[in-house]
Amino acid sequence: MTAAPLRLHPDRLFPADPDTRAVARRLYAEVVDLPIVSPHGHTDPRWFAEDAPFGDASSLLLQPDHYVFRMLYSQGVPLEAIGIGAPVDPRAAWRVLADHYHLFRGTPSRLWLDWVFHSVFGLDVRLAPETADLYFDSINEQLARPEFRPRALFDRFNIELLATTESPLDSLDHHAMIRASGWKGRVITAFRPDPVVDPDYEGFADNLDRLGAMTGEDVGSYAGYLAALRARRAAFAAAGATSTDHGHPTAATADLDRGEAERLYAQVRGGRATAEQAELFRAHMLTVMAGMSIDDGLVMQIHPGSFRNHNTELFRRFGRDKGADIPTRTDFVRALRPLLGRFGNDPRLSLILFTLDESAYARELAPLAGHYPALKLGPAWWFHDSPEGMRRFRRQTTETAGFHNLVGFNDDTRAFLSIPARHDVARRIDCGYLAELVVEHQLDEDEAVDLAVDLTCRLVKSAYRL
Amino acid sequence: MTAAPLRLHPDRLFPADPDTRAVARRLYAEVVDLPIVSPHGHTDPRWFAEDAPFGDASSLLLQPDHYVFRMLYSQGVPLEAIGIGAPVDPRAAWRVLADHYHLFRGTPSRLWLDWVFHSVFGLDVRLAPETADLYFDSINEQLARPEFRPRALFDRFNIELLATTESPLDSLDHHAMIRASGWKGRVITAFRPDPVVDPDYEGFADNLDRLGAMTGEDVGSYAGYLAALRARRAAFAAAGATSTDHGHPTAATADLDRGEAERLYAQVRGGRATAEQAELFRAHMLTVMAGMSIDDGLVMQIHPGSFRNHNTELFRRFGRDKGADIPTRTDFVRALRPLLGRFGNDPRLSLILFTLDESAYARELAPLAGHYPALKLGPAWWFHDSPEGMRRFRRQTTETAGFHNLVGFNDDTRAFLSIPARHDVARRIDCGYLAELVVEHQLDEDEAVDLAVDLTCRLVKSAYRL
Amino acid sequence: MTAAPLRLHPDRLFPADPDTRAVARRLYAEVVDLPIVSPHGHTDPRWFAEDAPFGDASSLLLQPDHYVFRMLYSQGVPLEAIGIGAPVDPRAAWRVLADHYHLFRGTPSRLWLDWVFHSVFGLDVRLAPETADLYFDSINEQLARPEFRPRALFDRFNIELLATTESPLDSLDHHAMIRASGWKGRVITAFRPDPVVDPDYEGFADNLDRLGAMTGEDVGSYAGYLAALRARRAAFAAAGATSTDHGHPTAATADLDRGEAERLYAQVRGGRATAEQAELFRAHMLTVMAGMSIDDGLVMQIHPGSFRNHNTELFRRFGRDKGADIPTRTDFVRALRPLLGRFGNDPRLSLILFTLDESAYARELAPLAGHYPALKLGPAWWFHDSPEGMRRFRRQTTETAGFHNLVGFNDDTRAFLSIPARHDVARRIDCGYLAELVVEHQLDEDEAVDLAVDLTCRLVKSAYRL
């Protein structure tokens, strides 16, 4: 059997209608060469600090990608077979992926991986059982070359800015190394305080102790705790951060008075908080963080609504981030009211809200963002960062929120090699959406060009203060 | 810089596919000249009673339009800058709109405003900073002419019937003036009893006193209260009303026995009702109103699910209806059961239900309307009264409810000049939807023509008993 | 007036865009002649056991079809007028349908009925008041012929397998008759234990007694109850069943310890269970049933989320299944966790999940199915088994779950004559969806062909272990 060809069609993801496709092509031509601005993601700053070669195909493209291994797992592949939780021959792991590559038909993983295979590694046959070794050998051979090191790829990918995400307990040493290295690539951090704000986070009490030690503040008191957080925010800002990020189970916010907050902190700090108190503390701290954002100018992101580690047995055996985080229904209207009541009318605050609950797009989020000066909507997130997911986002938010209460695209990924593919998917879907508005005569084409550039970079830079 | 042209393309909002578009054009040709029947809206009957000229562009098109000013506010424009809560030079306010007109790209406000600018005022360049004064001067000059007075526009717009909405405490004097004037335009009222049915309404106790005074009934007793409501319903019917309208925070209904109802009324009347009792009273009164509708034949509308005045500070400074009403998740299946259990099988009742929670379209509302004889679904409402919103409504309700459990279009607007634009958008979207069914061979074209006329006027008139 | 023609266009339900339609045609050509595999439905095994002629048009096509009569009822037609709850002249009933056939425009019932009229009965004019008698006479005349008996139609319809659904209390005699008859048609049963698992089921206590009597087990004890269920599962498996089916009001599952379960069973058995205890018992029994499935290999289906008999008066007058079952919002993430925590990682379990709450497709169900090895998603169900409903299902599940965590199509019907039409609609919609992926260059056409066959039969057979 001859291997099927792997091609990336120049019209991929554009609407089928020929007139609309022609407009989409013209719009896309205006943005295809614009640099990538990636204001939120999870790549490892060590890569750019040390600039060491990446390892093999499996450790780079398979084992860290929870989109990929959860799909294999859902179809009965043990995680150990691909080297998670157990050592494995990387070639054998790669063959497992190749044997199951048909599972990814119709998924965004397929789009991203095919782009990496073809555009980064020059492969021109489809991944399949009979091409597994060709892929594995070719990718590994190329990864050993200087032009495939992290910084070289960063430059080749035309990345203007890349934000990583770190815990307040991170030393930010890798970011310091990057800045000290003389390399021109702009890699900045973002402040993700969950380990020291969420009482249910693993090791919360120890994390507070470390926070105190790092900052010299007395985290035994609420005042010291707040001072420690302010100190770390300042350190992050000094390392280039322009944003914070908050990954709470719900969107609940609260605005406690000082006495209540102090008493609640004492409970939480002492490890005696009930589930309700833990939730209330997280809720209160979102409002506190919004206040600190007004002071120090850091843009605030909230990523709520994921039920983490739904699969208890898997969590016990393999730990966090193993594909068992499941979205839940999320209320925003009542949940955000305390924070918005305090700071929602303050244009100094830039609060970017994400959701995994698409039913809130048109019902809650677009109306909120289309009213409150402080509020903007982040792009389609995680499971919804896909062609259809992005289309639903555009169609369900634009008519109420307009384009200017949105913030362009986030890749939100740890899969560095797929970053250009992800931005390319977003640009293509956006140009297709705008082309539809043009062909339906809702917009003139000059306006659509303007909006395509807005969505690709101008809105990103303004919303994230880059 | 040359101003961009403003054109209204004859094919706007039709599907892109050429075959489908051709069918949509033919269907639209059958309905484009049909008169406007507007069975629910919020225009001011004083306009038609007094027939005075409208003021300037800003006071007519900008300051009363909460779709428009909430978008400006969301992007940091103070409401005072456009004359809300503070005096402003109308020209300066208009320039603010012109400076921010790009915010409306992709929104229905843009469609409606462009139609008004072009079709009512003959403007043929796009609104932009450099055309702000041209617009302001031209619109104001035209508004001063006799052919731009309310009654002249009513006739020019080919309006067959226009319903306004009044409180039971309204004297209906403007409607009486209209009828007495000899003018042929048909402007009717609708009975909106929230001020005397919702214990949380501002001034509820005073409103009850006024209700008693207007009707000569003793509203100290539940029996007197019901008699007063019946009297006002009769007065509204005599003034042409064919419908009532109920704007409750939820869709909860209840069916209390007489003793419970009397005791609850006493609590509510005395201002001692808890939040739960207030909700129960509203719930009970919906069922009571359904019973009165069976007696007096008034069609009943329920508009539930808006969280009013979400932004406390804005409400405090500027009052109601300032763009901070946010939709909430709404349950219908359990909420409506008491009312439907009492009257749902009675075909004498025509109960028209609206929602701001689109997730209920296919799950709850279409199945309920596709079963209960008394129930019909109102069109896509408020935030969802937009091209994509209307498409979602059609696609998510028709397959289960069919077309005949729907009621055609409502404009639901206080923006009088935009009424033809709103009906035109609805007709175009409906014709596009029907054209898709024809091109997919789900309908023959003669059936689609029939349905286009149904949706434009026949279903409206039968559902609203016009 | 000349009757309108009734045609079934060869391109019906394919996307309008000509290129996409051409691909859809080619894909459909690959699956149009494949036999029907119907793994879940509600036809009557007596038909195939006795092979008696069907009655008249009204008793075959109108009176048993709750999609059809609920629509008539919603528009004011009394059920008695079509012979439900009262005797009626079948011709008069048929004329009622003909008089109201326009109500079904845009609904799937119209697609299914037109297919039956044209493809089964050769009618070539549209059903309308003036063709009512022609239809009634022609259909009745044909039904009397041998080639319209159940087995002949089964063969003509190219059905490879048809599953019915029976209560554990069913003797399965008709299935035994079918097997003993020498007829080659494969008709199997499925185990639906609601009458003996749901404490709120009509006659639950009596049902338990009958269960004990049938199996010789002592259902006075929990152990005996479980043994009786195991015995009936074994009897169903012996009669060809490969699956169970569970129709619970919610998706709640629980995993009680033995002592708790025994105590709860005693409450339930004694008729003393509260609503909460009844729900907990149902929840627990789902987990018990999953465990039994691992033992005996029966595939498990859950159909949750229907509020049964919403219309109390109608239920009192006419009984179950009269069109008043309404979908409700359904939580899956928390509800399924006990069952999935116990068995979700076990690939021996095949748990097929359905929903009436489409908002859970992308948010909850696709992420769960895209992770847990035991879990698969059933197709768009009931109200959503329609062209738009199927499209929403594909677009909202595929990108996260892929195609291989789905199970192809179910017709889920008691309307035997419509089975080919229902499968044809599914095949057409699937081919249209796949064609869109091809034209957007997300899939190559060879892959789309492969997937079209997967969705039509391969995934069905593997998921249902046929």
Side-chain angles (χ1 to χ4, degrees):
Chain A
M1 179 181 173
T2 320
L6 171 62
R7 290 171 295 233
L8 300 182
H9 196 284
D11 284 338
R12 63 193 185 279
L13 300 177
F14 291 155
D17 173 68
D19 288 344
T20 316
R21 185 165 281 194
V23 177
R25 270 189 211 125
R26 291 197 296 271
L27 298 177
Y28 180 70
E30 301 280 341
V31 297
V32 60
D33 293 325
L34 293 177
I36 288 172
V37 180
S38 173
H40 174 68
H42 297 276
T43 52
D44 189 341
R46 174 193 300 265
W47 298 334
F48 310 105
E50 301 181 347
D51 203 32
F54 288 112
D56 62 277
S58 293
S59 68
L60 177 62
L61 301 174
L62 170 55
Q63 287 148 10
D65 191 332
H66 58 72
Y67 288 80
V68 173
F69 66 68
R70 70 156 178 80
M71 179 68 90
L72 300 177
Y73 184 71
S74 78
Q75 285 286 307
V77 175
L79 291 181
E80 295 87 345
I82 49 173
I84 295 173
V88 76
D89 170 35
R91 181 181 300 271
W94 188 259
R95 285 177 179 163
V96 170
L97 175 63
D99 287 348
H100 293 84
Y101 198 57
H102 62 282
L103 298 180
F104 297 93
R105 289 170 176 167
T107 71
S109 293
R110 166 71 180 269
L111 297 175
W112 302 328
L113 285 171
D114 276 359
W115 186 92
V116 170
F117 297 154
H118 187 80
S119 299
V120 179
F121 295 111
L123 292 157
D124 57 8
V125 292
R126 203 190 287 162
L127 180 59
E130 63 272 20
T131 60
D133 286 339
L134 167 70
Y135 264 68
F136 189 72
D137 294 332
S138 173
I139 291 171
N140 291 355
E141 182 272 322
Q142 294 182 66
L143 287 178
R145 295 188 211 158
E147 63 265 37
F148 286 81
R149 293 203 177 180
R151 291 183 184 177
L153 288 174
F154 187 104
D155 294 338
R156 174 177 164 188
F157 290 167
N158 194 21
I159 298 175
E160 179 177 326
L161 174 136
L162 181 69
T164 65
T165 303
E166 270 77 40
S167 158
L169 305 177
D170 191 282
S171 67
L172 302 181
D173 285 350
H174 292 123
H175 288 87
M177 282 175 65
I178 294 168
R179 288 197 306 283
S181 72
W183 176 53
K184 298 275 185 276
R186 191 169 167 211
V187 178
I188 64 175
T189 183
F191 181 75
R192 171 94 167 207
D194 304 3
V196 296
V197 162
D198 177 1
D200 295 329
Y201 207 93
E202 299 96 290
F204 178 68
D206 291 344
N207 293 343
L208 288 188
D209 290 340
R210 292 172 56 201
L211 178 67
M214 283 184 91
T215 57
E217 299 290 346
D218 171 17
V219 298
S221 78
Y222 181 59
Y225 170 66
L226 296 186
L229 288 172
R230 275 196 208 93
R232 292 309 294 156
R233 292 176 64 107
F236 272 66
T242 72
S243 69
T244 71
D245 182 30
H246 306 269
H248 287 207
T250 75
T253 68
D255 188 13
L256 304 177
D257 69 31
R258 185 71 184 205
E260 290 175 302
E262 288 175 348
R263 283 189 295 276
L264 182 59
Y265 179 71
Q267 292 283 114
V268 159
R269 165 75 180 144
R272 299 183 308 275
T274 63
E276 289 69 28
Q277 288 175 319
E279 176 71 354
L280 183 61
F281 186 72
R282 287 187 295 262
H284 173 67
M285 287 306 297
L286 284 180
T287 307
V288 169
M289 287 285 160
M292 290 188 187
S293 276
I294 288 178
D295 292 341
D296 62 20
L298 292 180
V299 171
M300 181 174 189
Q301 303 171 89
I302 306 180
H303 283 89
S306 178
F307 189 120
R308 303 275 171 180
N309 308 312
H310 189 270
N311 189 331
T312 309
E313 181 191 339
L314 211 76
F315 178 62
R316 189 180 53 71
R317 292 174 56 208
F318 300 100
R320 289 173 74 90
D321 297 327
K322 289 302 172 289
D325 299 336
I326 310 292
T328 57
R329 207 153 57 203
T330 307
D331 166 73
F332 292 93
V333 177
R334 286 171 184 80
L336 292 175
R337 199 157 179 250
L339 188 157
L340 292 172
R342 182 78 178 275
F343 298 119
N345 292 298
D346 193 329
R348 292 175 301 170
L349 179 63
S350 177
L351 171 56
I352 302 173
L353 197 59
F354 295 80
T355 191
L356 293 173
D357 181 357
E358 294 178 309
S359 76
Y361 282 161
R363 185 182 57 215
E364 303 178 21
L365 295 175
L368 286 166
H371 167 69
Y372 281 100
L375 197 62
K376 288 183 177 56
L377 299 188
W381 175 37
W382 199 338
F383 297 97
H384 311 310
D385 174 18
S386 60
E388 289 293 340
M390 290 176 181
R391 286 171 184 146
R392 285 195 294 272
F393 178 80
R394 289 271 169 256
R395 292 199 173 120
Q396 293 176 27
T397 62
T398 307
E399 293 183 321
T400 291
F403 289 99
H404 285 74
N405 286 306
L406 311 177
V407 307
F409 181 65
N410 282 187
D411 58 69
D412 195 12
T413 192
R414 63 199 75 223
F416 175 52
L417 270 65
S418 75
I419 286 178
R422 290 167 192 257
H423 286 258
D424 189 58
V425 169
R427 292 175 189 191
R428 289 174 177 275
I429 296 296
D430 286 345
C431 290
Y433 174 71
L434 292 167
E436 289 173 353
L437 293 179
V438 170
V439 171
E440 289 190 0
H441 306 288
Q442 296 199 52
L443 285 180
D444 288 326
E445 194 166 331
D446 69 297
E447 299 178 292
V449 169
D450 199 42
L451 288 166
V453 179
D454 282 342
L455 291 171
T456 303
C457 56
R458 285 192 295 241
L459 289 169
V460 189
K461 291 182 181 179
S462 66
Y464 281 91
R465 300 179 178 167
L466 296 170
Chain B
M1 176 182 174
T2 320
L6 172 62
R7 289 172 296 233
L8 300 181
H9 196 283
D11 284 338
R12 64 193 184 278
L13 299 177
F14 291 155
D17 173 68
D19 288 345
T20 316
R21 184 165 282 194
V23 177
R25 270 188 211 125
R26 291 197 297 271
L27 298 177
Y28 180 70
E30 301 279 340
V31 297
V32 61
D33 293 326
L34 293 178
I36 289 173
V37 181
S38 174
H40 174 69
H42 297 277
T43 51
D44 189 341
R46 174 193 301 263
W47 297 334
F48 309 106
E50 301 182 347
D51 202 33
F54 288 111
D56 62 278
S58 292
S59 68
L60 177 62
L61 300 174
L62 169 55
Q63 286 148 8
D65 191 333
H66 58 73
Y67 289 78
V68 172
F69 65 69
R70 70 156 178 78
M71 179 69 89
L72 300 177
Y73 185 71
S74 77
Q75 286 284 308
V77 175
L79 290 181
E80 294 86 347
I82 50 174
I84 295 174
V88 77
D89 170 35
R91 183 180 298 272
W94 188 259
R95 284 176 179 164
V96 171
L97 175 63
D99 288 347
H100 293 83
Y101 198 56
H102 63 282
L103 297 180
F104 296 94
R105 290 170 176 168
T107 72
S109 293
R110 166 71 180 269
L111 297 175
W112 302 328
L113 286 170
D114 275 1
W115 186 92
V116 170
F117 297 155
H118 188 79
S119 299
V120 178
F121 295 110
L123 293 156
D124 58 8
V125 291
R126 205 189 287 162
L127 180 58
E130 62 271 21
T131 61
D133 287 338
L134 168 70
Y135 264 67
F136 189 73
D137 295 331
S138 173
I139 291 171
N140 291 354
E141 182 271 322
Q142 294 181 67
L143 286 178
R145 296 188 211 158
E147 63 264 37
F148 286 81
R149 294 201 176 181
R151 291 183 185 177
L153 288 175
F154 188 102
D155 294 339
R156 173 176 166 190
F157 290 166
N158 193 20
I159 298 176
E160 178 177 326
L161 175 136
L162 181 69
T164 65
T165 303
E166 272 75 42
S167 157
L169 305 176
D170 192 281
S171 67
L172 304 181
D173 285 349
H174 292 123
H175 287 87
M177 283 175 66
I178 294 168
R179 285 198 307 284
S181 72
W183 176 52
K184 296 276 184 275
R186 191 171 167 208
V187 178
I188 64 175
T189 183
F191 181 74
R192 172 95 168 205
D194 304 4
V196 296
V197 162
D198 177 3
D200 295 329
Y201 207 94
E202 299 96 294
F204 178 69
D206 290 344
N207 294 343
L208 288 188
D209 290 340
R210 291 173 57 203
L211 177 67
M214 282 184 92
T215 58
E217 300 289 346
D218 171 16
V219 299
S221 77
Y222 181 59
Y225 171 65
L226 296 187
L229 289 173
R230 274 196 209 95
R232 291 310 293 155
R233 291 175 66 106
F236 273 66
T242 71
S243 68
T244 71
D245 183 29
H246 307 268
H248 288 206
T250 74
T253 67
D255 188 14
L256 304 178
D257 68 32
R258 184 71 183 206
E260 290 175 303
E262 287 174 349
R263 283 189 295 278
L264 183 59
Y265 178 72
Q267 292 283 115
V268 158
R269 164 78 179 143
R272 299 182 309 275
T274 63
E276 290 69 29
Q277 287 176 319
E279 175 73 354
L280 183 63
F281 186 72
R282 286 188 294 262
H284 174 67
M285 287 307 296
L286 285 181
T287 306
V288 168
M289 287 285 161
M292 290 187 188
S293 276
I294 288 178
D295 292 340
D296 63 19
L298 293 180
V299 171
M300 181 176 189
Q301 303 171 87
I302 307 180
H303 284 89
S306 178
F307 189 121
R308 303 275 170 180
N309 308 312
H310 189 271
N311 189 330
T312 308
E313 180 190 339
L314 212 74
F315 178 63
R316 189 181 51 73
R317 292 174 56 210
F318 300 100
R320 290 174 73 89
D321 297 326
K322 288 303 172 289
D325 298 335
I326 309 293
T328 57
R329 207 154 56 205
T330 306
D331 166 73
F332 292 93
V333 178
R334 284 172 185 79
L336 292 175
R337 199 158 179 249
L339 189 157
L340 292 174
R342 182 78 177 273
F343 299 119
N345 293 297
D346 193 330
R348 291 174 300 169
L349 179 63
S350 177
L351 171 55
I352 301 173
L353 197 59
F354 295 79
T355 191
L356 294 172
D357 181 357
E358 295 178 311
S359 77
Y361 282 162
R363 185 182 59 215
E364 303 177 23
L365 294 175
L368 286 166
H371 166 70
Y372 280 100
L375 197 62
K376 289 183 177 54
L377 300 187
W381 175 37
W382 199 338
F383 298 97
H384 312 309
D385 175 18
S386 60
E388 290 293 341
M390 290 177 181
R391 286 170 183 146
R392 286 195 294 271
F393 178 80
R394 289 271 170 254
R395 293 199 172 119
Q396 293 176 28
T397 62
T398 307
E399 293 182 321
T400 290
F403 288 99
H404 286 73
N405 287 305
L406 311 177
V407 308
F409 180 65
N410 281 185
D411 58 68
D412 195 13
T413 192
R414 66 198 73 224
F416 175 53
L417 269 64
S418 75
I419 285 179
R422 291 167 191 255
H423 285 258
D424 188 60
V425 169
R427 292 176 189 191
R428 289 173 177 276
I429 295 296
D430 285 345
C431 289
Y433 173 71
L434 292 167
E436 289 173 354
L437 293 179
V438 169
V439 171
E440 289 190 0
H441 305 288
Q442 295 197 53
L443 285 180
D444 288 326
E445 194 165 330
D446 68 298
E447 298 178 291
V449 169
D450 199 42
L451 287 166
V453 178
D454 282 342
L455 292 171
T456 302
C457 56
R458 284 193 295 241
L459 289 170
V460 189
K461 291 182 181 178
S462 64
Y464 281 90
R465 299 179 180 170
L466 297 169
Chain C
M1 178 183 174
T2 319
L6 171 62
R7 289 171 296 231
L8 300 181
H9 196 283
D11 285 338
R12 64 192 184 279
L13 299 178
F14 291 155
D17 173 68
D19 289 344
T20 315
R21 184 165 281 195
V23 177
R25 270 189 211 126
R26 291 197 297 269
L27 298 177
Y28 180 70
E30 301 279 340
V31 297
V32 61
D33 293 326
L34 292 177
I36 288 171
V37 181
S38 173
H40 175 69
H42 297 276
T43 53
D44 189 340
R46 176 194 299 265
W47 298 334
F48 309 106
E50 301 182 346
D51 203 32
F54 288 112
D56 62 277
S58 291
S59 68
L60 178 63
L61 300 174
L62 170 56
Q63 286 147 9
D65 190 333
H66 59 71
Y67 289 80
V68 173
F69 66 69
R70 69 155 179 78
M71 179 69 90
L72 300 177
Y73 184 71
S74 78
Q75 284 286 308
V77 175
L79 290 182
E80 294 86 346
I82 50 173
I84 296 175
V88 77
D89 169 35
R91 183 180 300 271
W94 187 260
R95 284 176 180 164
V96 171
L97 175 63
D99 287 348
H100 293 84
Y101 198 57
H102 63 282
L103 298 180
F104 297 94
R105 289 169 177 168
T107 72
S109 293
R110 166 71 180 269
L111 297 175
W112 302 327
L113 286 171
D114 275 359
W115 187 93
V116 170
F117 297 154
H118 188 79
S119 298
V120 179
F121 295 111
L123 293 157
D124 57 8
V125 289
R126 204 189 286 162
L127 180 59
E130 63 272 22
T131 60
D133 287 338
L134 167 71
Y135 265 66
F136 189 72
D137 293 331
S138 173
I139 291 171
N140 291 355
E141 182 272 322
Q142 294 182 66
L143 286 178
R145 295 187 210 159
E147 63 265 35
F148 285 81
R149 293 203 177 180
R151 291 183 184 177
L153 288 174
F154 187 103
D155 294 339
R156 174 178 165 188
F157 289 167
N158 194 19
I159 298 176
E160 180 177 325
L161 176 137
L162 181 68
T164 65
T165 303
E166 271 76 41
S167 157
L169 305 177
D170 190 282
S171 66
L172 303 180
D173 285 349
H174 292 122
H175 287 86
M177 282 175 65
I178 294 168
R179 286 198 308 283
S181 72
W183 177 52
K184 297 275 184 274
R186 193 171 166 208
V187 177
I188 63 176
T189 183
F191 181 75
R192 172 94 167 208
D194 304 5
V196 296
V197 162
D198 177 2
D200 295 330
Y201 206 93
E202 300 95 291
F204 178 68
D206 291 343
N207 293 343
L208 288 188
D209 290 339
R210 290 173 57 201
L211 178 67
M214 283 182 91
T215 58
E217 300 289 347
D218 171 17
V219 299
S221 78
Y222 182 59
Y225 171 65
L226 296 185
L229 289 172
R230 274 194 209 95
R232 292 311 293 157
R233 291 175 66 106
F236 272 67
T242 72
S243 68
T244 71
D245 184 29
H246 306 269
H248 287 206
T250 75
T253 67
D255 188 13
L256 304 179
D257 68 32
R258 183 72 183 206
E260 291 174 302
E262 287 175 349
R263 282 189 296 277
L264 182 59
Y265 178 71
Q267 293 283 116
V268 158
R269 164 75 180 145
R272 300 183 307 276
T274 64
E276 290 69 28
Q277 287 175 319
E279 176 72 354
L280 183 60
F281 186 73
R282 286 187 295 262
H284 174 67
M285 288 307 297
L286 285 180
T287 307
V288 168
M289 287 284 160
M292 290 187 188
S293 276
I294 288 178
D295 292 340
D296 63 20
L298 292 180
V299 170
M300 183 175 186
Q301 303 171 87
I302 306 179
H303 283 90
S306 177
F307 189 120
R308 302 274 171 180
N309 308 313
H310 189 271
N311 189 329
T312 308
E313 180 190 339
L314 211 74
F315 178 62
R316 188 180 52 72
R317 294 176 53 210
F318 300 100
R320 291 174 72 89
D321 297 326
K322 289 301 171 290
D325 300 335
I326 309 293
T328 56
R329 209 154 55 202
T330 307
D331 166 73
F332 292 94
V333 177
R334 286 170 184 81
L336 291 175
R337 201 161 178 245
L339 189 157
L340 292 173
R342 181 81 177 273
F343 298 119
N345 292 297
D346 193 329
R348 292 175 301 170
L349 179 64
S350 177
L351 171 55
I352 302 173
L353 198 59
F354 295 78
T355 191
L356 293 172
D357 181 358
E358 294 178 311
S359 77
Y361 282 161
R363 184 183 61 214
E364 302 178 23
L365 294 174
L368 286 167
H371 167 69
Y372 281 100
L375 198 62
K376 290 184 176 55
L377 300 188
W381 175 36
W382 199 339
F383 298 98
H384 312 309
D385 173 19
S386 61
E388 289 294 340
M390 290 177 182
R391 285 171 183 145
R392 287 196 292 272
F393 178 80
R394 290 271 169 255
R395 293 198 173 120
Q396 293 177 26
T397 63
T398 307
E399 293 183 323
T400 290
F403 289 99
H404 285 74
N405 287 306
L406 311 177
V407 307
F409 180 65
N410 282 186
D411 56 70
D412 196 11
T413 192
R414 63 197 76 223
F416 175 53
L417 269 65
S418 76
I419 287 180
R422 291 167 192 256
H423 286 259
D424 189 60
V425 169
R427 292 175 190 191
R428 289 174 178 275
I429 296 296
D430 286 345
C431 290
Y433 174 70
L434 292 168
E436 289 173 353
L437 293 179
V438 170
V439 172
E440 288 190 2
H441 305 288
Q442 296 199 52
L443 284 180
D444 287 327
E445 194 166 329
D446 69 297
E447 299 178 291
V449 169
D450 199 41
L451 287 166
V453 179
D454 282 342
L455 291 171
T456 302
C457 56
R458 285 192 295 242
L459 288 169
V460 189
K461 291 182 182 179
S462 64
Y464 281 91
R465 300 181 179 166
L466 297 170

